[in-house]
Amino acid sequence: MQKYSQSLRLMGNSFTITVTAFDHKTANEHIEAAVQEIKRIERLLTTYNDQSQTNQVNTQAGISAVKVDEEVFNLIERSIGISKITQGAFDISYGSIDKSLWNFDRSMKSLPDTQTALKMVHLIDYRNILLDRENCSVFLKEKGMRIGFGGIGKGYAAEMAKKVLIKRGVQSGIINASGDLCAWGLQPDGRKWTIGVADPDAPSSVFSYMDISDRAVATSGNYEKYITINGKKYSHTIDPKTGLPVSGIKSVTIIAANAEFADAMATPIAVMGISAGLFLINQIPDLYCIIIDDNNKIYTSKNIRLQ
């Protein structure tokens, strides 16, 4: 039994799929099945294709409800559940924030003023996503509202690809969606899969390791996308209530049983801040977290073991 990996670009991100198999041909067939599943999910959730169910829901905002696949409906329902427990720090209706407000790809010299930012976020409100289970339909109450799955889609895709592989009899592997990953089984030599937690000041080096077999991990960090204004670092993580970026936290790493949940919890913890974030994590069974602040101080939730 050996491990085989393939990296490719999917959902606008770099995915690496690793499986254990007896030979290269079998491994490639398994990996291809996982890739097809991720592509299927991308077609459902993307906002870059007018025909996607997400875009149909957005186009009809304030006009009419749109019937969606049960899978999309359930994902939206779970997303709203996460909005509730994070008191709106996670919100899939963030799509109304315009690129003109925040563009981390060019040199922004100043923050948008508070009023402009607030004007942009008035449409963000998960309570205005109305679900009708009987008709499996979604209605965005306000015109101009938009939903997007940027905060949960990669984790969902990783989890679904893992499901496909397990169904095909793959006993061990890792789906890594740009740092949001899930692992199951053991490595061919019988050891558990481990992950290095990146040092935010030197993302290519590692400050600790942890076992992740049968676990999922997601990291939200400001070391990959940020701007510095007047010497202060602002991450690309936007607080949905103010429209302004969060500061003070370099990275949040979430460890959970499920990649979708880990992915969805990483950003809101950064928005909520260290004490409120850790308090919430400690209330939820089987959910763990490592936070690194701007001064490189490390905070961890209860019962976490770093090596």
Side-chain angles (χ1 to χ4, degrees):
M1 193 68 98
Q2 280 176 288
K3 62 180 176 188
Y4 299 89
S5 285
Q6 193 183 325
S7 295
L8 64 169
R9 217 163 160 71
L10 295 159
M11 298 178 84
N13 287 278
S14 149
F15 272 71
T16 301
I17 298 165
T18 303
V19 298
T20 54
F22 287 109
D23 60 84
H24 206 274
K25 183 178 175 292
T26 312
N28 278 350
E29 286 167 3
H30 289 321
I31 289 169
E32 184 52 32
V35 169
Q36 289 311 318
E37 175 65 356
I38 294 163
K39 285 182 171 170
R40 182 188 72 76
I41 289 162
E42 180 173 20
R43 284 192 295 274
L44 283 179
L45 304 184
T46 183
T47 51
Y48 293 106
N49 172 355
D50 293 344
Q51 299 315 304
S52 78
Q53 296 196 7
T54 311
N55 262 351
Q56 289 171 25
V57 169
N58 290 342
T59 307
Q60 293 301 312
I63 303 165
S64 67
V66 173
K67 194 171 171 49
V68 295
D69 289 5
E70 190 179 3
E71 175 180 9
V72 175
F73 185 93
N74 291 340
L75 182 60
I76 294 172
E77 192 172 56
R78 292 195 299 275
S79 298
I80 293 171
I82 292 167
S83 295
K84 285 177 183 163
I85 62 169
T86 59
Q87 295 172 342
F90 174 86
D91 196 324
I92 57 167
S93 66
Y94 71 87
S96 61
I97 290 192
D98 195 319
K99 281 278 188 291
S100 63
L101 182 69
W102 285 108
N103 190 342
F104 288 90
D105 304 329
R106 54 166 200 257
S107 50
M108 282 180 68
K109 294 283 180 267
S110 62
L111 296 179
D113 70 86
T114 321
Q115 290 320 106
T116 311
L118 276 175
K119 224 180 262 158
M120 296 295 249
V121 296
H122 81 280
L123 287 169
I124 301 177
D125 191 342
Y126 67 91
R127 289 165 299 201
N128 287 334
I129 304 170
L130 306 182
L131 299 181
D132 177 347
R133 176 153 291 282
E134 211 171 304
N135 296 309
C136 208
S137 71
V138 184
F139 178 50
L140 306 182
K141 215 161 124 184
E142 305 289 334
K143 226 172 169 30
M145 261 183 92
R146 289 175 62 78
I147 56 168
F149 295 97
I152 196 170
K154 281 190 309 185
Y156 175 62
E159 203 57 46
M160 293 299 280
K162 169 186 153 185
K163 218 176 245 180
V164 163
L165 290 172
I166 289 172
K167 215 174 185 172
R168 291 175 64 94
V170 178
Q171 287 174 8
S172 177
I174 297 182
I175 311 280
N176 184 345
S178 275
D180 295 349
L181 55 92
C182 54
W184 71 102
L186 299 170
Q187 297 187 56
D189 62 8
R191 288 179 308 149
K192 287 183 171 180
W193 296 107
T194 58
I195 182 182
V197 179
D199 176 341
D201 283 340
S204 54
S205 62
V206 164
F207 80 80
S208 72
Y209 290 88
M210 67 177 106
D211 291 340
I212 54 153
S213 281
D214 303 313
R215 293 235 166 270
V217 179
T219 299
S220 173
N222 75 3
Y223 46 86
E224 282 164 345
K225 237 185 184 180
Y226 62 87
I227 48 169
T228 306
I229 294 171
N230 300 332
K232 192 171 181 185
K233 216 174 184 185
Y234 292 93
S235 82
H236 70 290
T237 302
I238 304 292
D239 182 339
K241 290 187 177 70
T242 64
L244 297 171
V246 301
S247 62
I249 290 179
K250 271 187 185 168
S251 76
V252 174
T253 298
I254 300 282
I255 301 101
N258 170 299
E260 176 194 310
F261 194 42
D263 187 8
M265 289 301 287
T267 303
I269 295 303
V271 171
M272 291 169 80
I274 296 163
S275 57
L278 287 176
F279 181 79
L280 175 62
I281 295 284
N282 286 330
Q283 309 302 307
I284 300 171
D286 213 19
L287 189 64
Y288 308 93
C289 155
I290 303 163
I291 299 173
I292 302 172
D293 73 8
D294 277 351
N295 303 315
N296 286 343
K297 188 168 179 207
I298 298 169
Y299 301 81
T300 61
S301 59
K302 288 180 199 158
N303 306 325
I304 197 167
R305 284 180 299 279
L306 294 176
Q307 294 172 17

